[in-house]
Amino acid sequence: MKALVTVKRVIDYNVKPRVKADGTGVDLANVKMSMNPFDEIAVEEAIRLKEKGVVTEIVAVSVGPAKAQETLRTALAMGADRAILVQTDDEVEPLAVAKIVKGVADEEQPGLIITGKQAIDDDSNQVGQMVAALLGRPQGTFANEITVEGDSVVVKREIDGGLETVKLALPAVVTTDLRLNEPRYASLPNIMKAKSKPLATKAPADYGVDTAPRLKTLKVSEPPVRSAGIKVADVDALVAKLKELGVA
Amino acid sequence: MANVLVWVEHDGSAVKDATLAAVTAAAKLGDVTALVAGSGVDGVAAAAAQIEGVSKVLKADDASLANGLAENVAPLIASVMAGYDAFVAAATTTAKNVAPRVAALLDVAQVSEILSVEGPKTFTRPIYAGNAIATVESSDAKLVVTVRGTAFAKANATGGSAAVEAVSGAAESGLSSFVGSEIAKSERPELTSAKIIVSGGRALKDAATFEATITPLADKLGAAIGASRAAVDAGFVPNDYQVGQTGKIVAPEVYLAVGISGAIQHLAGMKDSKTIIAINKDEDAPIFQVADIGLVGDLFTLVPELTGKL
């Protein structure tokens, strides 16, 4: 079966984001961008399923600006077979992304759609669930383990109290949690090879999707700053502080 | 006044604390109806009816709802939403699984993990791991909102007297089935509602050292135990101990970070704690930039000494 993986170009997770002085957003000019960490896990899982002979072809899709091509090339270098960039310079909300992914899925008919559980920029945690809803297919969110068994997929999910296992009829949508796998690095020869792998460019209109935002961002501000703390010299001083706080 | 539907999260017998914070947030939007979905949930519905601020309880009792599978629950909520203006749920893993599915079925955008209600359709929410706060206004006809539990006071669990009404329409989707669960057993306070949390990081070396160092201190303080991602990945403690952007978001009275450097993904999960205390041997560790009280030194001598003096 075919696997569709979604990847997003986001600010690198090690970079501390800076809020623009005019409160219109976060300053992304000259900031290092990378593939969303959960999406790396999604790509890795698709590749592992291909290595097991469960998946035959991996299609990576990204919705974003022309530069998102770099992110798709990274997915291709890791082991995806071809890529689709749905190019737009607008900021696209999860619902519109989900509609575009549904459009791609309608054309490609994947057996499994793998997305990250959330993007580390908007922290929404919505796209996978929305894709599943729009396609009328089951969802295995926050996956810790994925096993394809015939015409179904068994997904072990990370939930608040521990783990839960569900069985989903294929085709299905799975979103990755951190502990699903350890993504591989792309080797230099594979990065070179990835340059010649097919990458199609589309537009949201090709899928009949209107990307106009439903949520208007009125303001983006810095979180409240914590007042400077103190350092204590020894354990006795810390115990005294804990007593002051009434916890000891 | 808007009609607001709040999803009641429960374990089959009791209402979870997180729902009480969601009720507080929902009450700022309008008249609150609680939805209890599950199998054999008369007790939960009765408990939900007592929550202060809830004016009506809808009870959907059906075998297909037993395990909270999103494929069965979301269509039910979407159909009930015909009579409501907003759907509000606590931002737990359970609701994060279901709410976006509801939003897509209603063709509306979801506002995730709100920190405050600023207007009838205006909210603040954290983005970039809590490094920025966005104020957003919805233009959709209906709202779907998840609520960060630590940002709202909990509604009183008693004092209300709402009527319970049964709703039908639940159906088995045939798309998914529940196989089983492994719930970590813990005698300690629940991490997300604990008043005191003692959290350990990579510096604890291994599972045995973590247990020997952190557990006695937590016992003395009556605290919940948390961990950084490094400690979870290294296998010191189970996954659900993880505090951070991708783990649990906590805001206790006192958060004691032991051997945790303070990466931004970890801070995202605990920097709203009232008092942060850090014990770390690296004076320049980023954790000291958010800590109210810091103690520099070797945790293997300091923590046992601290435990002994409490």
Side-chain angles (χ1 to χ4, degrees):
Chain A
M1 73 181 169
K2 201 186 278 186
L4 188 70
V5 290
T6 59
V7 295
K8 185 178 186 184
R9 179 177 182 265
V10 298
I11 188 168
D12 188 86
Y13 76 102
N14 280 313
V15 176
K16 185 165 165 53
R18 294 199 182 282
V19 175
K20 286 188 207 165
D22 63 1
T24 54
V26 165
D27 195 355
L28 295 176
N30 305 316
V31 169
K32 188 186 176 203
M33 305 291 276
S34 303
M35 187 191 295
N36 180 43
F38 292 102
D39 301 345
E40 289 186 352
I41 296 170
V43 175
E44 175 65 35
E45 195 63 19
I47 298 166
R48 290 187 188 191
L49 289 169
K50 193 179 172 191
E51 286 166 350
K52 281 183 195 152
V54 174
V55 161
T56 48
E57 190 189 25
I58 302 168
V59 181
V61 58
S62 190
V63 179
K67 280 195 166 170
Q69 272 198 32
E70 295 166 12
T71 312
L72 287 167
R73 290 288 174 207
T74 305
L76 293 170
M78 285 173 75
D81 295 295
R82 58 190 172 89
I84 301 167
L85 171 63
V86 182
Q87 196 174 325
T88 169
D89 285 326
D90 302 336
E91 214 166 289
V92 187
E93 290 174 353
L95 182 61
V97 171
K99 287 178 179 177
I100 291 169
V101 174
K102 178 195 184 289
V104 175
D106 285 342
E107 278 181 5
E108 299 283 345
Q109 296 292 322
L112 206 51
I113 299 174
I114 312 180
T115 77
K117 82 163 175 184
Q118 76 190 66
I120 60 164
D121 51 0
D122 64 13
D123 282 333
S124 288
N125 194 333
Q126 299 173 11
V127 169
Q129 295 90 316
M130 288 178 158
V131 170
L134 296 173
L135 288 169
R137 298 310 307 169
Q139 64 188 47
T141 51
F142 324 139
N144 175 290
E145 202 180 294
I146 299 173
T147 321
V148 175
E149 293 177 355
D151 58 0
S152 59
V153 57
V154 175
V155 180
K156 197 179 264 191
R157 308 176 51 233
E158 296 201 8
I159 59 168
D160 281 336
L163 294 165
E164 168 184 294
T165 306
V166 292
K167 191 170 182 178
L168 314 173
L170 291 173
V173 180
V174 174
T175 80
T176 62
D177 215 322
L178 268 182
R179 273 163 287 271
L180 180 59
N181 61 47
E182 187 84 33
R184 69 193 64 191
Y185 289 101
S187 67
L188 188 58
N190 285 342
I191 292 171
M192 300 310 290
K193 262 189 250 167
K195 291 188 176 162
S196 56
K197 285 185 178 176
L199 193 158
T201 304
K202 302 269 196 173
D206 294 340
Y207 302 100
V209 176
D210 173 11
T211 58
R214 306 285 190 89
L215 300 177
K216 191 168 146 200
T217 300
L218 304 177
K219 181 175 74 176
V220 174
S221 54
E222 294 269 0
V225 182
R226 294 188 73 98
S227 52
I230 52 147
K231 286 216 173 94
V232 292
D234 53 29
V235 168
D236 290 327
L238 180 55
V239 172
K241 284 284 174 192
L242 284 170
K243 288 202 168 123
E244 256 175 57
L245 292 167
V247 297
Chain B
M1 199 166 179
N3 286 320
V4 187
L5 189 68
V6 172
W7 190 30
V8 176
E9 206 173 307
H10 60 87
D11 58 8
S13 53
V15 174
K16 296 217 167 153
D17 263 8
T19 299
L20 302 175
V23 168
T24 303
K28 291 177 193 281
L29 292 170
D31 188 41
V32 179
T33 297
L35 172 68
V36 177
S39 178
V41 287
D42 286 347
V44 181
Q50 289 180 16
I51 300 172
E52 205 167 38
V54 170
S55 59
K56 187 160 86 175
V57 174
L58 298 181
K59 183 184 69 165
D61 205 327
D62 192 275
S64 68
L65 303 171
N67 296 299
L69 292 168
E71 296 77 9
N72 297 346
V73 176
L76 172 79
I77 296 172
S79 71
V80 173
M81 277 300 290
Y84 290 85
D85 306 303
F87 176 69
V88 174
T92 59
T93 51
T94 315
K96 284 175 178 175
N97 185 39
V98 171
R101 195 164 175 117
V102 173
L105 293 175
L106 296 172
D107 193 30
V108 304
Q110 174 184 304
V111 189
S112 296
E113 298 226 13
I114 62 160
L115 299 173
S116 70
V117 176
E118 301 289 317
K121 292 196 167 195
T122 309
F123 309 92
T124 61
R125 61 175 303 263
I127 52 176
Y128 293 88
N131 283 290
I133 309 294
T135 307
V136 296
E137 183 183 28
S138 170
S139 61
D140 281 319
K142 289 182 196 286
L143 292 169
V144 173
V145 174
T146 64
V147 173
R148 179 168 284 189
T150 55
F152 292 87
K154 291 186 181 77
N156 281 332
T158 55
S161 58
V164 179
E165 198 178 289
V167 287
S168 54
E172 176 59 56
S173 70
L175 294 170
S176 61
S177 57
F178 178 80
V179 178
S181 61
E182 303 156 38
I183 302 299
K185 286 200 172 55
S186 178
E187 309 275 294
R188 300 184 174 283
E190 203 193 345
L191 195 53
T192 49
S193 56
K195 284 203 160 52
I196 309 170
I197 294 173
V198 179
S199 216
R202 197 200 311 262
L204 273 309
K205 280 186 186 146
D206 54 44
T209 316
F210 191 103
E211 167 81 28
T213 316
I214 298 294
T215 309
L217 178 58
D219 285 341
K220 270 274 168 70
L221 294 168
I225 296 180
S228 70
R229 183 187 165 190
V232 172
D233 281 351
F236 301 177
V237 289
N239 298 348
D240 54 305
Y241 281 47
Q242 187 182 328
V243 171
Q245 184 182 19
T246 61
K248 295 201 168 74
I249 311 289
V250 299
E253 298 281 319
V254 176
Y255 188 89
L256 223 161
V258 178
I260 291 177
S261 64
I264 57 175
Q265 294 81 7
H266 185 74
L267 301 184
M270 46 63 84
K271 68 182 177 167
D272 294 325
S273 305
K274 208 161 195 185
T275 303
I276 298 172
I277 302 174
I279 300 179
N280 206 300
K281 68 175 176 196
D282 177 7
E283 202 168 342
D284 299 321
I287 191 77
F288 287 120
Q289 288 162 24
V290 299
D292 302 284
I293 303 167
L295 177 56
V296 180
D298 180 16
L299 68 94
F300 294 109
T301 53
L302 294 175
V303 173
E305 188 187 342
L306 175 61
T307 308
K309 285 181 175 167
L310 287 170

